[in-house]
Amino acid sequence: MNRQTTLLNDQTRQQAWHVVDATDQPLGRLASSLAVVLMGKHKPDYTPHVDSGDFVVVLNADKVSLSGRKAEQKVYKTYSGHPSGQKETPYGVMLDKKPERLVEIAVRRMLPKNKLASTMLSKLKVYRGEDHPHAAQQPAPLDLATV
C-alpha cells in the first residue's frame, strides 16, 4: 500500500472568512472555539507548522457573557516595566470600556505559544457592534457548535 501524507504550504492552503455573533456567548467557550478556527484544526488538512487557519470576524463583543461573579472578581493585570507600573482592571470594567480587547486577550491565551501565534491572531477581527468593514470578503456565518 502506498500512502502519503499531504502537507500544506503557503501555496496550497485555502483560507476562508467567517463571521461570529458573540451575543450571550460565554467568553471562554467562545475564545476556545475561535482559537481552533484560527489555528486551522477544524480542517481535515491541518498542518501544525503552517498557518492554515481561517479569518474570523467577531461581532457584538460588548454583549459577551461572563458566568458567575467573574465580572467583579477576575482582574486583568498589565505591567509597564517601571517601578509601581502595575495596573489592575476588573473584567467588568474591561467589558464596558474595551470589550474587543477582552476577546482578543482570551483568544491569544488559547493559541499556541510559538512564532505562528501572532499571525494567527492577526486574522481575528473583533468589533463592538454589528457593523464591520469586511463585507467585500463575504464572510460566511460560523456555527460554533460544530467546531
Side-chain angles (χ1 to χ4, degrees):
M1 290 174 36
N2 188 6
R3 294 184 194 169
Q4 291 184 352
T5 302
T6 305
L7 296 176
L8 289 180
N9 57 29
D10 289 338
Q11 289 77 31
T12 60
R13 68 180 176 189
Q14 302 278 332
Q15 292 181 320
W17 281 76
H18 302 286
V19 63
V20 175
D21 187 13
T23 304
D24 296 329
Q25 295 273 346
L27 179 62
R29 292 173 190 256
L30 174 70
S32 63
S33 299
L34 294 178
V36 167
V37 174
L38 291 172
M39 285 186 276
K41 284 192 163 188
H42 67 294
K43 296 180 177 183
D45 56 356
Y46 168 70
T47 306
H49 66 277
V50 177
D51 181 21
S52 60
D54 293 340
F55 290 84
V56 179
V57 178
V58 180
L59 304 177
N60 295 320
D62 55 341
K63 297 177 184 166
V64 73
S65 68
L66 296 171
S67 62
R69 296 180 55 203
K70 290 185 189 136
E72 304 125 23
Q73 293 176 343
K74 207 165 167 99
V75 176
Y76 171 69
K77 296 180 182 180
T78 58
Y79 183 59
S80 66
H82 296 284
S84 69
Q86 184 173 4
K87 295 179 185 176
E88 293 184 352
T89 309
Y91 272 124
V93 174
M94 286 285 288
L95 190 60
D96 293 337
K97 291 186 177 182
K98 299 178 186 176
E100 305 92 356
R101 186 86 177 112
L102 193 65
V103 174
E104 289 172 2
I105 290 169
V107 172
R108 178 194 296 142
R109 291 177 177 175
M110 293 191 185
L111 289 175
K113 281 49 172 187
N114 59 19
K115 293 180 181 181
L116 286 177
S118 61
T119 57
M120 290 177 189
L121 192 64
S122 68
K123 295 183 295 182
L124 177 68
K125 315 295 181 188
V126 184
Y127 299 100
R128 186 180 293 247
E130 288 282 337
D131 300 329
H132 63 89
H134 305 288
Q137 283 76 24
Q138 300 171 346
L142 178 67
D143 184 21
L144 295 178
T146 61
V147 175

